[in-house]
Amino acid sequence: MAESLSKTKSSFYRRLYVAHLIDRGVASVPELIEATGMPRRTAQDTIHSLAELDIACDFEQAEGARHNIGRYRIRDWGAIDPRWVEVNAARLKAALGYP
């Protein structure tokens, strides 16, 4: 069961966890939805809001693909330590109530 989080903390944790998943290869919106159970719009909004934490996340169109088929990639973590996120990923996942 997820712990009681403020909106600010849950948003922060969600962004960190999504960046972690992208960095680990769960790097498309459908894959993020499957891994977390979050709605499509939440997944899309979370990816776009990574920039607010200075996490540079780029979309890489699949070669020869159309209609935004591709994967996201974390180019730069900014001030966030990705090692801390990796070590604490299970705690973030549990706090958010993700499967």
Side-chain angles (χ1 to χ4, degrees):
M1 182 173 188
E3 65 182 78
S4 179
L5 297 176
S6 69
K7 288 178 95 174
T8 300
K9 196 172 204 178
S10 65
S11 175
F12 181 63
Y13 280 10
R14 185 171 40 258
R15 292 173 195 189
L16 294 180
Y17 191 65
V18 164
H20 167 76
L21 290 175
I22 291 170
D23 210 34
R24 296 286 168 254
V26 181
S28 70
V29 171
E31 290 171 344
L32 289 169
I33 292 167
E34 185 176 331
T36 64
M38 70 175 69
R40 173 175 290 280
R41 186 69 189 167
T42 302
Q44 292 168 329
D45 290 348
T46 301
I47 292 166
H48 295 305
S49 69
L50 293 176
E52 294 174 11
L53 298 179
D54 287 333
I55 297 174
C57 181
D58 297 329
F59 183 77
E60 296 176 344
Q61 184 83 18
E63 199 169 316
R66 300 184 332 194
H67 307 296
N68 293 325
I69 303 297
R71 303 180 70 70
Y72 288 93
R73 183 177 64 86
I74 302 297
R75 188 172 33 87
D76 187 345
W77 281 85
I80 304 296
D81 180 356
R83 294 168 300 182
W84 183 93
V85 178
E86 183 175 353
V87 167
N88 290 280
R91 184 171 70 84
L92 298 172
K93 178 181 175 180
L96 292 163
Y98 291 155

